[in-house]
């Protein structure tokens, strides 16, 4: 059986929109209607007319789609596709933290469970985190969760001194070793560096660049979609990419004349890779596994997500 054509046939028959994150396996990206970053995928989910959304990504992303589209069926091919970053904080921990800072505004990365989102004032993604924090009055304390590297990047970019940051991290981005960064900086002197703000190297790279340590070296801190757009629009020929390696597939496909080098070959998210073409097919066929969010949680979380979608 040709899985790809079966999936495309079933998708039409059942009126399903397939969304895939930039880190998905190439063959999964190839059957999707839209491939993008967390913010772009939430936006696509919010505006679709299809009855069902099949989400090829991790669980919190499918939950976000279920929250913004309460009247649609949202499916994920494997319920075990989680996120190590989202797992670093639960709703009880957020409530406790808020009780210690009763006047603070709480900003949470989209990489959180629906229960955590229900406790937030604002949700954000890596592409709009800086602008979300900028929109908060400067005299207000900010609690930022759960990624400490994205948090410290945002604090630096907004020059905010009253921001408290949760000490969470993504094992994939935090796992990119300083030695790998050093090696690539030395080896690819003329390359542009595209770095995801979840990387632990983000803060040190920014500091080194600000100090002029790398001369005119081009370093961009960007969300996955920001990287994709930059790769297309830049006149550069070689790019070192510091994020999950799944992003290289579309980058290379869209820019065959340019060269893309992973900062680390080991930067692979095992959760993203749980979504295989076989599972996509089975999911479509049997309409499983449906992701549902209890109404009371979804209503509260929706407010924070709407605020995120309003700020680009
Ligand atoms: P983006 O929002 O940049 O797509 O990142 C999502 C993510 O999970 C990064 O690891
Ligand atoms: Fe979560 Fe990290 Fe995987 Fe992104 S790469 S989904 S943050 S575990």
């Amino acid at each position: 059986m040709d899985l790809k054509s079966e999936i495309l046939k079933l998708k039409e028959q059942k009126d399903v929109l397939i969304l895939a994150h930039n880190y998905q396996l190439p063959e999964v990206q190839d059957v999707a209607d839209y491939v993008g970053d967390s913010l772009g995928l939430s936006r696509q989910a919010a505006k679709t007319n299809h009855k069902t959304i099949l989400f090829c990504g991790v669980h919190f992303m499918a939950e976000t789609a279920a929250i913004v589209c309460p009247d649609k069926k949202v499916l994920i091919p494997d319920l075990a596709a989680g996120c190590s970053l989202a797992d670093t904080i639960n709703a009880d921990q957020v409530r406790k933290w808020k009780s210690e800072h009763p006047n603070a505004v709480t900003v949470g990365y989209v990489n959180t469970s629906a229960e955590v989102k229900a406790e937030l004032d604002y949700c954000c993604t890596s592409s709009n985190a800086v602008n979300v924090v900028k929109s908060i009055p400067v005299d207000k304390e900010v609690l930022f969760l759960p990624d400490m590297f994205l948090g410290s990047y945002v604090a630096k970019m907004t020059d905010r001194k009253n921001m408290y940051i949760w000490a969470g991290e993504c094992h994939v981005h935090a796992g990119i070793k300083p030695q790998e960064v050093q090696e690539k900086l030395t080896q690819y002197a003329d390359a542009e560096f595209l770095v995801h703000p979840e990387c632990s190297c983000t803060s040190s790279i920014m500091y080194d660049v600000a100090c002029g340590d790398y001369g005119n070296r081009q370093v961009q801190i960007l969300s996955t979609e920001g990287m994709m757009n930059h790769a297309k629009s830049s006149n550069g020929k070689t790019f070192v990419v510091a994020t999950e390696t799944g992003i290289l597939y579309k980058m290379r496909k869209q820019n065959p004349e340019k060269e893309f080098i992973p900062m680390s070959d080991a930067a692979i998210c095992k959760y993203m890779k749980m979504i295989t073409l076989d599972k996509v097919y089975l999911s479509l066929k049997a309409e499983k596994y449906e992701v549902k969010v209890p109404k009371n949680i979804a209503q509260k979380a929706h407010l924070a997500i709407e605020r995120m979608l309003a700020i680009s």
Side-chain angles (χ1 to χ4, degrees), residues 6 10 86 100 110 125 135 138-139 141 155 160 179 184 196 209 216 224 248-249 264 274 278 282 285 289 311:
E6 283 304 312
L10 271 176
E100 291 157 8
V110 69
T125 69
S135 74
V138 283
D139 58 327
E141 279 185 343
R160 196 134 193 156
Q179 192 197 334
K184 296 293 185 304
H196 196 278
V209 170
N216 293 329
T224 57
L248 298 167
Y249 172 65
S264 168
M274 282 178 180
D278 281 338
L282 294 173
K285 197 163 174 240
Y289 299 91
I311 299 175

Side-chain angles (χ1 to χ4, degrees), residues 180-199:
E180 292 174 309
V181 179
Q182 270 313 324
E183 274 168 18
K184 296 293 185 304
L185 282 165
T186 314
Q187 201 180 338
Y188 296 99
D190 297 328
E192 286 195 43
F193 283 71
L194 309 182
V195 180
H196 196 278
E198 278 175 32
C199 290

Side-chain angles (χ1 to χ4, degrees), residues 21 23 37-38 60-61 109 111 125-126 173 196 198 223-224:
H21 188 265
Y23 298 160
D37 69 354
S38 310
F60 75 80
M61 296 179 176
Y109 196 27
N111 296 43
T125 69
S126 55
H173 289 87
H196 196 278
E198 278 175 32
S223 74
T224 57

Side-chain angles (χ1 to χ4, degrees), residues 21 23 38 57-61 81-87 109 111 147 169-174 196 198 243-244 267-273:
H21 188 265
Y23 298 160
S38 310
V58 292
H59 193 264
F60 75 80
M61 296 179 176
C83 169
S84 60
L85 176 57
D87 285 346
Y109 196 27
N111 296 43
D147 190 87
E169 62 177 27
C170 151
H171 73 290
V172 179
H173 289 87
H196 196 278
E198 278 175 32
T243 192
E244 213 271 354
I268 296 171
C269 176
K270 63 178 181 188
Y271 303 111
M272 286 281 179
K273 280 13 182 197

Side-chain angles (χ1 to χ4, degrees), residues 4 7 24-32 249 275-278:
K4 185 176 173 184
I7 289 170
Q24 288 289 291
L25 291 167
E27 58 273 26
V28 172
Q29 295 192 27
D30 284 346
V31 295
Y249 172 65
I275 312 298
T276 59
L277 207 57
D278 281 338

